[in-house]
Amino acid sequence: MLWAFKPDTSFIRYVQQVMVVTTVVVPALLADRRADMIRALFLCFACATVLNVFFVLGGDPLVVQYGAKSENIGYPGYFLGKNYLGECATLAVLLSIHEMLYRGLRRVLGIIVIAVSLFLVFMADSKTALGLAIVTPCLAGLTLIATKKMRLSPAIVLLPIPLGYTILSSVSNFSINRLSYMLFGDSTLTGRTLIWDFATTEIARQPLLGWGYQSFWLVGPDSPSLVDAPGWIKMMPNAHNGYYDTTLEIGYIGYCLLLIFILVTLHAIGRVAYRDAARAWLLLSVALYIICFNYLESLWMRGFEFLWVVFLIVAAEIGRYWQPLPQKAVRTDSGFAVPRGSRPGHAGNSRPGRPNAI
């Protein structure tokens, strides 16, 4: 905030962010260890998917004008854009798969929410969200298997993927542009690479500390984005890439801190895996989903982006597993004291669908 292009705007947005982080993380860490945050998160997304069905069935699709012809690009539901509906529905799918590991009503509800969510994904025509929802759970499962076999941190297991892409793109013509053309027939990712080129030039002007927290895009008539950006890029609210925006706003120092935060989060999921493999798989799937989505949308440290709030919930859930489980003495009828663990979300069951063994 001290060196922001617009300190007053930066201060307001920073205070909002502090409020969001505090109200998510602090109650989660102070809650009873047996409280199941993930099931509560699933119920929130289940309600969201059901409500969106009514908005989709009773609403109209978004229409984009391409020259002389118009094209329907998908339904937004009650969101402002179709991509938000795709993100919400695919996250609901991931959470529902975890619910299906339990017996009874939880499994039935999980199956119903999956069916509704897939309907919404196709109505939103969100191919990227669906693709990530398929890839990230598989990648998470393979990562946890490799973590267990090699006794390494999930962060170390996953690190060769971005490093390998960086090396491959530097020594060959393989790049995100080429991959986009192979998949969608558009080498610009619907114009995103043009925005990224502009962001790169602006990062070079303030490389170390950036332009200030959320003090670059549309912060007034003299904002750098309006003054320097060419054509339609002037009206962009962000760079459509969380990593570029982080570097724009708080420089390479902030970018390195973000990478450390991500790596620490991935590393900590390894400890969850030792206590609850199914929950670790879900947390890693959701984390990878959001990490990957930030390559196409700007979500990191933006308080009103629900994917960022979900990532905070994932980090808080991991934090609840970080400390050793408390042992509570339970007096039985025979007078013996029996230790009882209280890991998060498993007050009555030691494993999904199995009775608690003392």
Side-chain angles (χ1 to χ4, degrees):
M1 291 183 293
L2 295 177
W3 59 82
F5 183 79
K6 286 294 180 70
D8 52 344
T9 301
S10 181
F11 175 75
I12 292 172
R13 294 177 177 178
Y14 176 74
V15 171
Q16 291 174 337
Q17 179 72 310
V18 170
M19 294 169 64
V20 170
V21 173
T22 303
T23 53
V24 171
V25 175
V26 174
L29 296 180
L30 294 179
D32 191 297
R33 295 289 297 275
R34 293 168 292 179
D36 195 345
M37 286 179 54
I38 296 301
R39 189 185 184 194
L41 184 63
F42 162 75
L43 293 175
C44 288
F45 275 87
C47 291
T49 55
V50 172
L51 286 175
N52 269 298
V53 169
F54 295 100
F55 279 85
V56 167
L57 295 178
D60 298 318
L62 295 175
V63 178
V64 175
Q65 196 75 24
Y66 292 106
K69 68 175 184 177
S70 59
E71 182 178 342
N72 296 339
I73 61 173
Y75 288 82
Y78 63 67
F79 296 104
L80 295 177
K82 75 182 191 71
N83 288 336
Y84 283 112
L85 179 59
E87 295 166 19
C88 176
T90 47
L91 265 181
V93 170
L94 296 180
L95 294 167
S96 298
I97 294 174
H98 179 258
E99 288 296 302
M100 289 174 59
L101 300 177
Y102 296 83
R103 295 177 181 174
L105 182 61
R106 294 185 67 170
R107 180 174 297 174
V108 174
L109 185 58
I111 294 173
I112 294 173
V113 173
I114 285 180
V116 174
S117 300
L118 291 177
F119 165 76
L120 292 176
V121 171
F122 285 105
M123 294 301 290
D125 194 23
S126 188
K127 303 180 185 68
T128 302
L130 180 60
L132 289 177
I134 294 173
V135 172
T136 51
C138 299
L139 180 59
L142 293 174
T143 300
L144 291 177
I145 293 173
T147 297
K148 183 177 180 180
K149 295 292 183 181
M150 297 186 290
R151 297 185 178 182
L152 294 175
S153 166
I156 296 177
V157 173
L158 289 166
L159 194 57
I161 297 178
L163 292 179
Y165 169 78
T166 303
I167 296 173
L168 182 62
S169 60
S170 62
V171 300
S172 68
N173 62 349
F174 181 81
S175 65
I176 189 65
N177 303 64
R178 183 173 177 82
L179 183 62
S180 174
Y181 182 79
M182 293 168 57
L183 294 176
F184 307 112
D186 177 15
S187 61
T188 68
L189 280 170
T190 60
R192 284 179 173 84
T193 56
L194 303 177
I195 304 173
W196 300 344
D197 290 339
F198 167 69
T200 302
T201 61
E202 295 299 300
I203 290 171
R205 296 176 59 188
Q206 302 280 353
L208 192 61
L209 298 175
W211 294 84
Y213 177 69
Q214 293 200 23
S215 183
F216 180 84
W217 300 97
L218 303 181
V219 289
D222 58 341
S223 63
S225 62
L226 289 175
V227 174
D228 300 332
W232 54 268
I233 298 178
K234 293 179 181 290
M235 303 311 298
M236 287 295 101
N238 53 64
H240 284 281
N241 183 301
Y243 305 96
Y244 278 118
D245 266 328
T246 299
T247 313
L248 265 175
E249 295 173 3
I250 48 182
Y252 284 108
I253 291 178
Y255 177 69
C256 291
L257 292 174
L258 172 64
L259 293 182
I260 291 172
F261 170 60
I262 294 172
L263 291 174
V264 169
T265 302
L266 295 176
H267 168 74
I269 293 176
R271 177 166 293 194
V272 181
Y274 285 111
R275 301 181 183 178
D276 191 335
R279 184 162 297 230
W281 168 81
L282 174 64
L283 295 175
L284 185 56
S285 299
V286 173
L288 290 175
Y289 179 90
I290 298 172
I291 289 169
C292 293
F293 224 106
N294 265 281
Y295 282 99
L296 301 174
E297 301 293 340
S298 188
L299 307 172
W300 294 126
M301 297 177 291
R302 295 179 181 270
F304 299 109
E305 295 288 346
F306 70 85
L307 284 185
W308 165 238
V309 175
V310 171
F311 195 88
L312 284 177
I313 294 173
V314 168
E317 176 73 358
I318 295 169
R320 301 172 74 209
Y321 279 84
W322 189 251
Q323 297 298 328
L325 292 174
Q327 296 293 325
K328 297 181 180 180
V330 180
R331 183 64 58 181
T332 63
D333 294 337
S334 57
F336 294 99
V338 181
R340 180 179 64 185
S342 56
R343 68 183 181 181
H346 291 79
N349 292 327
S350 59
R351 292 185 182 180
R354 295 182 60 182
N356 187 31
I358 299 181

